[in-house]
Amino acid sequence: MTIREFREADWPQVWPILREIARAQDTFAYDPDMSADEAHELWVEPPPGLTVVTVVGDRVLGSAKMGTNREGPGSHVSTASFIVAADARGQGVGTALCRFAIDWARQRGYAGMQFNAVVESNRAAVSVYERLGFRIVGTVPGAFAHPTLGRVGLNIMYKEL
Amino acid sequence: MTIREFREADWPQVWPILREIARAQDTFAYDPDMSADEAHELWVEPPPGLTVVTVVGDRVLGSAKMGTNREGPGSHVSTASFIVAADARGQGVGTALCRFAIDWARQRGYAGMQFNAVVESNRAAVSVYERLGFRIVGTVPGAFAHPTLGRVGLNIMYKEL
């Protein structure tokens, strides 16, 4: 399992992962009907941000994007997002991507990393982030319409670097 | 004092207000060096969002933009931002704009309104929002580099509608 910079040749594997996640509507506040172009714009970060993929041989198991959370006086805080293919979950892919993003942000001198909208019911993600040192700063009540659970909260999470 | 929809003819008055606020770097995490085009893109919301101005005669005293905070499963929550000209502060312009945004969001059926990054030291804004029913959901520590106070927190604020 290797993490390396995203290349355009990875897109035919990254897009279906992202599309499945957007359509499931249970972990990301993304448009479930987004086009491939919109998804590319959303996921592939121009410098100084970075998008990476986790690969085993030629297969993409997951991807992460990372960059600056806000501009100007907020630009010392980073952010990141992570996606893992449905059949590659529970194997530490997300944890490895999150560790990668933390290292990347630390090396670039960011003071912290903020996640703006972690779905409260996505226990797998919340517990990975907590294990890696993030804490829940607050939860916006009912801000995410989960397809089976109804409206659940969106956590804002933060880790100082 | 009237609040009405933004027109392109207002831009020569809105842009200096926005530029002064961005340059001051004490209330918004905006790029202090943004160009007029970038500012226009940032501030003038395409439908279904809305940008309005507060005017007295031909003079623009302030402006607000409002819209959907997140996509897909997050699209039932609105957001808004407000700017007031330096020499028109303390006269209720911000409060009137915030009331307008709340009414707009309620009429459109949004379940709540979220502010993603209210600078903790901006007591005037925080207290206007609290008076209008917003509460601080959480504060990201040190996420805003204030020019004189150093790193202060960014509040996430929320009001159910």
Side-chain angles (χ1 to χ4, degrees), chain B residues 8-33:
Chain B
E8 281 306 323
D10 300 320
W11 184 243
Q13 289 193 77
V14 173
W15 164 223
I17 300 173
L18 198 50
R19 184 176 51 195
E20 185 272 326
I21 284 170
R23 286 185 180 164
Q25 296 190 70
D26 56 356
T27 56
F28 277 91
Y30 287 164
D31 176 2
D33 303 316

Side-chain angles (χ1 to χ4, degrees), chain B residues 3 82 84 91-100 102 128 131-132:
Chain B
I3 297 178
F82 314 97
V84 179
Q91 300 167 30
V93 175
T95 300
L97 285 167
C98 189
R99 280 188 204 279
F100 181 97
I102 292 167
V128 164
R131 254 183 290 124
L132 294 176

Side-chain angles (χ1 to χ4, degrees), chain A residues 59-74:
Chain A
R59 190 176 167 220
V60 174
L61 302 183
S63 180
K65 65 165 182 155
M66 55 210 81
T68 301
N69 197 43
R70 300 194 179 281
E71 299 200 56

Side-chain angles (χ1 to χ4, degrees), chain B residues 128-153:
Chain B
V128 164
Y129 303 153
E130 285 181 333
R131 254 183 290 124
L132 294 176
F134 288 81
R135 68 178 181 84
I136 296 171
V137 163
T139 305
V140 185
F144 188 89
H146 190 284
T148 56
L149 303 171
R151 286 184 184 162
V152 297

